[in-house]
């Protein structure tokens, strides 16, 4: 059985721990109204935006923005950091492609605003050595999209082929994966089908944006809109 990873490398695990610690410290200094205690106010550069403005503004479609609301329960989100753009993620992937010690990276992170329930969704790119083999983990439902798409109630991934001059050393199609995931100890048990569709919609939106940015032939075979039909 092939277990589709969600980018859980040791290196990223350490990074996640550091980020979690920073968020915990930040949360400890906030009052119930989302404002820091001690009279301090939210930083002036803090912004809350619509989902379509996340990740550089050209990665999250209107459908994906609505999907994020299904996932998080919030219609608006913290503005993405400057580094979280499709252009930056594509450049990082191109630099890493074919390098055995760098095979995945952060594409974007989505956070709910201050004063709401904490929620982090990660979008991750991965390059693979070949096409998918075997079956994904049992929690994934396969969808008829791309080379392979799997959706669960807390994450989804889209695999697609990319023939592009930007991916040096690739004489044949490269195999790329975009995953959208919320790391939880347990998987949600309510609205499972709706959540699967929502995560798949977000993963598809970023995958399509990445395929276009890389110049993949025929957009990597991805449709303009997410296909949520079960395989």
């Amino acid at each position: 059985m092939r277990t589709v990873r969600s980018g859980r490398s040791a290196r990223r695990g350490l990074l996640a721990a550091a980020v979690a610690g920073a968020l915990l410290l930040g949360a400890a200094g906030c009052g119930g109204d989302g404002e820091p205690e001690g009279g301090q106010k939210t930083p002036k550069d803090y912004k809350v935006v619509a989902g379509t403005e996340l990740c550089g503004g050209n990665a999250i479609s209107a459908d994906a923005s609505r999907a994020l609301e299904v996932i998080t329960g919030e219609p608006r989100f913290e503005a993405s950091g400057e580094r979280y753009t499709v252009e930056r993620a594509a450049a990082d992937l191109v630099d890493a492609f074919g390098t055995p010690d760098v095979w995945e990276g952060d594409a974007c992170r989505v956070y709910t605003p201050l004063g709401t329930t904490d929620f982090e969704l990660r979008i991750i790119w991965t390059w693979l050595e070949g096409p998918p083999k075997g079956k994904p983990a049992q929690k994934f439902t396969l969808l008829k999209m791309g080379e392979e798409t799997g959706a669960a109630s807390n994450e989804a991934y889209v695999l697609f082929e990319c023939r592009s001059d930007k991916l040096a050393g690739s004489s044949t199609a490269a195999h790329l994966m975009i995953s959208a995931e919320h790391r939880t100890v347990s998987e949600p048990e309510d609205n499972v089908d709706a959540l699967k569709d929502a995560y798949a919609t977000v993963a598809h939106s970023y995958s399509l944006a990445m395929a276009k940015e890389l110049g993949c032939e025929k957009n990597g075979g991805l449709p303009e809109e997410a296909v949520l039909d079960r395989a």
Side-chain angles (χ1 to χ4, degrees):
M1 174 178 290
R2 177 175 56 85
T3 300
V4 175
R5 15 167 221 84
S6 303
R8 292 179 174 83
S9 66
R11 179 167 48 209
R12 284 209 12 238
L14 292 173
L15 176 60
V19 171
L23 290 175
L24 182 61
L25 289 174
C30 290
D33 59 358
E35 292 288 352
E37 293 177 348
Q40 297 180 357
K41 295 183 178 181
T42 302
K44 291 183 179 180
D45 59 351
Y46 182 83
K47 295 181 180 179
V48 176
V49 300
T52 52
E53 297 179 57
L54 296 170
C55 310
N58 61 346
I60 305 298
S61 66
D63 285 346
S65 179
R66 288 188 287 270
L68 285 173
E69 184 173 358
V70 171
I71 293 168
T72 66
E74 297 294 333
R76 294 173 69 79
F77 308 89
E78 287 189 3
S80 300
E82 292 183 359
R83 70 179 299 272
Y84 289 129
T85 66
V86 178
E87 294 82 3
R88 172 69 177 271
D92 289 346
L93 192 158
V94 168
D95 288 343
F97 185 73
T99 305
D101 58 339
V102 183
W103 39 271
E104 63 174 23
D106 252 350
C108 190
R109 296 192 184 188
V110 176
Y111 298 97
T112 47
L114 292 175
T116 65
T117 302
D118 288 343
F119 194 98
E120 178 192 55
L121 182 142
R122 295 184 178 189
I123 301 176
I124 299 154
W125 58 259
T126 307
W127 67 266
L128 307 175
E129 293 182 346
K133 298 179 181 179
K135 295 181 179 180
Q138 187 174 3
K139 72 174 184 176
F140 290 103
T141 296
L142 294 179
L143 306 180
K144 296 178 180 179
M145 185 162 54
E147 191 173 27
E148 181 178 293
T149 296
S153 59
N154 63 342
E155 65 178 303
Y157 66 89
V158 175
L159 282 161
F160 62 97
E161 291 185 346
C162 180
R163 298 178 184 274
S164 171
D165 293 338
K166 292 184 179 181
L167 297 174
S170 177
S171 57
T172 58
H175 300 274
L176 308 178
M177 179 173 75
I178 299 294
S179 59
E181 61 182 59
H182 173 53
R183 297 180 180 180
T184 55
V185 176
S186 60
E187 299 169 30
E189 297 181 356
D190 296 327
N191 302 317
V192 170
D193 286 340
L195 286 169
K196 286 183 177 182
D197 288 351
Y199 277 99
T201 299
V202 174
H204 161 267
S205 181
Y206 202 100
S207 296
L208 182 62
M210 177 68 87
K212 290 180 176 180
E213 181 63 28
L214 290 172
C216 300
E217 182 179 312
K218 297 181 180 180
N219 293 334
L222 297 173
E224 285 295 320
E225 297 181 357
V227 175
L228 303 176
D229 298 334
R230 275 41 177 173

